[in-house]
Amino acid sequence: KQEVTQIPAALSVPEGENLVLNCSFTDSAIYNLQWFRQDPGKGLTSLLLIQSSQREQTSGRLNASLDKSSGRSTLYIAASQPGDSATYLCAGANSKLTFGKGITLSVRP
Amino acid sequence: DGGITQSPKYLFRKEGQNVTLSCEQNLNHDAMYWYRQDPGQGLRLIYYSQIVNDFQKGDIAEGYSVSREKKESFPLTVTSAQKNPTAFYLCASSHTGDYGYTFGSGTRLTVV
């Protein structure tokens, strides 16, 4: 059974800092790994999708990497802004999508 | 624009009532999913469907029912058998295979 872990559960950083959010998974036979953003009371917005054959994807200030052999993915956020404050969830896809519990990020002005 | 529409945004249920949450997509996705989100527990899969007129139980299907009569629609019924239905419900869809998921904006269900 796939298990996805995100540690820490919460993170607070000053504006402008570069930061890394970590995600680990137990079953390396994933089809892809997806990072989502969730604002309070809202649905999930897809940020980046990394296929199993890829090692990383980039979108603007975001870069996500995937290392299937070690069961790890990271989401790198460059030059963080207060608008980046949200909960970030990673999810690994096997026969279904399994989510981590998320990291709640607060970027202080 | 293509997307997933969930309605209503807020729903209140009395004890013993069944309620139905709507999920419609115009992305031409084959697969649709229902997740439940509780504080501190993450998202848990309730039901999923990969093709019209077929669906499978997820991890927490007890007390829920679904139908998939049209490709675009995947309604979820929360029955009176679900003893703790207060939660945030999210619908998602994807192409079958190695593709990402798209989520709706969610329905918050509260028992009163």
Side-chain angles (χ1 to χ4, degrees), chain A residues 1 31-32 34 36 38 41-46 49-53 89 93 95-101, chain B residues 9 33 35 37 40-43 45 48 50 58-59 88 90 97-106 108:
Chain A
K1 178 183 176 183
Y31 303 150
N32 58 55
Q34 200 164 357
F36 295 91
Q38 186 176 32
K42 305 294 185 183
L44 275 64
T45 300
S46 180
L49 170 68
I50 312 174
Q51 303 290 357
S52 59
S53 58
L89 299 103
S95 57
K96 62 179 183 177
L97 199 62
T98 302
F99 283 85
K101 293 183 179 180
Chain B
K9 189 176 179 66
Y33 313 83
Y35 285 86
Q37 187 176 34
Q41 292 214 41
L43 277 77
L45 182 63
Y48 64 102
Q50 295 181 313
D59 300 318
F88 191 51
L90 288 159
D98 194 8
Y99 298 99
Y101 285 43
T102 300
F103 278 80
S105 58
R108 185 166 299 281

Side-chain angles (χ1 to χ4, degrees), chain A residues 4-6 87-90 99-103, chain B residues 37 40-43:
Chain A
V4 178
T5 303
Q6 294 183 255
T87 297
Y88 292 82
L89 299 103
C90 68
F99 283 85
K101 293 183 179 180
I103 299 174
Chain B
Q37 187 176 34
Q41 292 214 41
L43 277 77

Side-chain angles (χ1 to χ4, degrees), chain B:
Chain B
D1 289 335
I4 298 180
T5 301
Q6 289 188 242
S7 62
K9 189 176 179 66
Y10 299 97
L11 188 57
F12 298 90
R13 191 194 93 168
K14 295 182 179 179
E15 296 283 350
Q17 273 187 339
N18 293 351
V19 292
T20 298
L21 285 61
S22 172
C23 178
E24 303 275 336
Q25 55 99 359
N26 60 4
L27 299 166
N28 200 33
H29 285 170
D30 301 304
M32 298 187 73
Y33 313 83
W34 275 105
Y35 285 86
R36 170 178 171 145
Q37 187 176 34
D38 296 279
Q41 292 214 41
L43 277 77
R44 293 180 288 168
L45 182 63
I46 305 172
Y47 268 99
Y48 64 102
S49 168
Q50 295 181 313
I51 194 169
V52 173
N53 292 323
D54 188 44
F55 46 83
Q56 288 76 40
K57 294 181 178 180
D59 300 318
I60 55 165
E62 185 176 350
Y64 300 97
S65 65
V66 294
S67 63
R68 186 87 186 275
E69 298 178 0
K70 299 186 301 181
K71 185 176 184 178
E72 302 79 19
S73 178
F74 192 40
L76 173 74
T77 296
V78 184
T79 74
S80 57
Q82 172 50 241
K83 298 306 179 187
N84 185 23
T86 295
F88 191 51
Y89 291 86
L90 288 159
C91 179
S93 69
S94 72
H95 287 298
T96 303
D98 194 8
Y99 298 99
Y101 285 43
T102 300
F103 278 80
S105 58
T107 293
R108 185 166 299 281
L109 174 62
T110 304
V111 173
V112 295

